[in-house]
């Protein structure tokens, strides 16, 4: 199961691609996430030859260890930032939750439910 991570500045400012690249590097330092985090580039603006850098991160969650590592790591990474920000986690079906430096419980519940559904899909 893949989830998308968007970094959102609390004041609405543009998030530099370097910030997402740093978060990707820090997430892949966790053994349970190594090899499961990739970046997706932004589409080029009209008249540009290349994109605007990293737009979001994709995280593959194949085990409970990866899920726990992700939800544990994100608040710590956000606390280390100089400006206030949150990470929005979005599932393929559109459900989402926001992780802040102070709380990750909503995201943990969303991801745990999605993992249960992924392993044991509801029957029609």
């Amino acid at each position: 199961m893949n989830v998308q991570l968007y970094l959102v500045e609390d004041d609405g400012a543009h998030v530099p691609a370097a910030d997402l690249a740093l978060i990707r590097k820090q997430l892949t330092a966790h053994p349970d996430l190594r090899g499961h985090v990739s970046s997706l580039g932004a589409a080029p603006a009209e008249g540009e030859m290349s994109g605007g850098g990293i737009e979001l991160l994709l995280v593959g969650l194949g085990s409970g260890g990866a899920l726990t590592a992700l939800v544990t790591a994100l608040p710590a990474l956000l606390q280390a930032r100089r400006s206030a920000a949150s990470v929005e986690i979005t599932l393929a079906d559109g459900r989402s939750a926001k992780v802040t430096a102070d709380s990750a419980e909503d995201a943990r519940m969303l991801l745990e439910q999605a993992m249960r559904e992924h392993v044991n899909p509801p029957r029609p």
Side-chain angles (χ1 to χ4, degrees), residues 10-29:
D10 288 353
D11 65 1
H14 175 71
V15 177
D19 285 8
L20 275 172
L22 179 61
I23 287 178
R24 180 184 185 278
K25 182 179 178 181
Q26 292 169 326
L27 287 174
T28 57

Side-chain angles (χ1 to χ4, degrees), residues 3-121:
V3 296
Q4 298 178 352
L5 303 182
Y6 294 93
L7 183 62
V8 181
E9 294 283 356
D10 288 353
D11 65 1
H14 175 71
V15 177
D19 285 8
L20 275 172
L22 179 61
I23 287 178
R24 180 184 185 278
K25 182 179 178 181
Q26 292 169 326
L27 287 174
T28 57
H30 289 270
D32 288 329
L33 293 173
R34 195 169 293 127
H36 298 282
V37 181
S38 58
S39 53
L40 183 65
E46 188 174 328
E48 290 183 356
M49 296 291 288
S50 63
I54 300 172
E55 182 177 21
L56 61 96
L57 299 176
L58 297 174
V59 181
L61 300 177
S63 69
L67 183 148
T68 299
L70 178 64
V71 176
T72 303
L74 286 176
L77 295 176
L78 292 171
Q79 284 177 337
R81 289 178 45 85
R82 281 171 266 155
S83 59
S86 58
V87 172
E88 185 175 317
I89 296 175
T90 305
L91 302 176
D93 65 7
R95 290 181 290 172
S96 66
K98 196 173 275 191
V99 177
T100 66
D102 299 327
S103 171
E105 192 56 33
D106 289 345
R108 178 184 301 278
M109 291 184 335
L110 173 75
L111 292 171
E112 286 176 349
Q113 177 185 8
M115 287 293 287
R116 283 191 302 274
E117 291 170 3
H118 183 71
V119 172
N120 299 310

